[in-house]
Amino acid sequence: MDVPTTTVADLPDPLPDDLVVLDVREPHEWDAGHVPGAVHVPLGDLPTRVGELDPQARTLVVCHLGGRSARATAWLGQQGHDVVNLAGGMDAWEAAGRPTVS
């Protein structure tokens, strides 16, 4: 399975306004800190909540380390969404000094 992936270093800082950040982590992980402006849909809820997402919007999918977001990216891509996975997830985001809110 070929999942489109990017790294924190490859992302502009700040992120462009037209980029949707989709966080697929569990609620306790989201509460601990997430990308400002991100949309929260836990991976397990994605099949029932996919209608809340714009398939035309460029979407960066994020989890803790990149495994769950890779699965979400692959599935959303099969549904016709314009998605890319964040390698290293929130660990990489925070290690790069990018902002988080909780």
Side-chain angles (χ1 to χ4, degrees):
M1 163 173 53
D2 188 26
V3 176
T5 301
T6 191
T7 64
V8 175
D10 289 335
L11 293 170
D13 188 8
L15 295 176
D17 291 337
D18 64 346
L19 180 70
V20 174
V21 178
L22 173 63
D23 191 319
V24 297
R25 297 176 301 155
E26 294 301 310
H28 70 277
E29 295 173 293
W30 166 267
D31 292 343
H34 53 271
V35 176
V39 175
H40 184 223
V41 180
L43 181 61
D45 295 344
L46 198 53
T48 58
R49 294 183 57 193
V50 67
E52 299 173 28
L53 305 172
D54 179 356
Q56 302 306 312
R58 183 80 174 138
T59 302
L60 176 69
V61 188
V62 179
C63 70
H64 182 72
L65 294 171
R68 285 172 287 177
S69 56
R71 291 199 303 277
T73 299
W75 186 80
L76 286 167
Q78 291 170 347
Q79 311 305 310
H81 287 251
D82 183 7
V83 286
V84 63
N85 181 45
L86 180 62
M90 285 301 295
D91 271 12
W93 181 267
E94 292 172 344
R98 295 289 189 106
T100 62
V101 293
S102 54

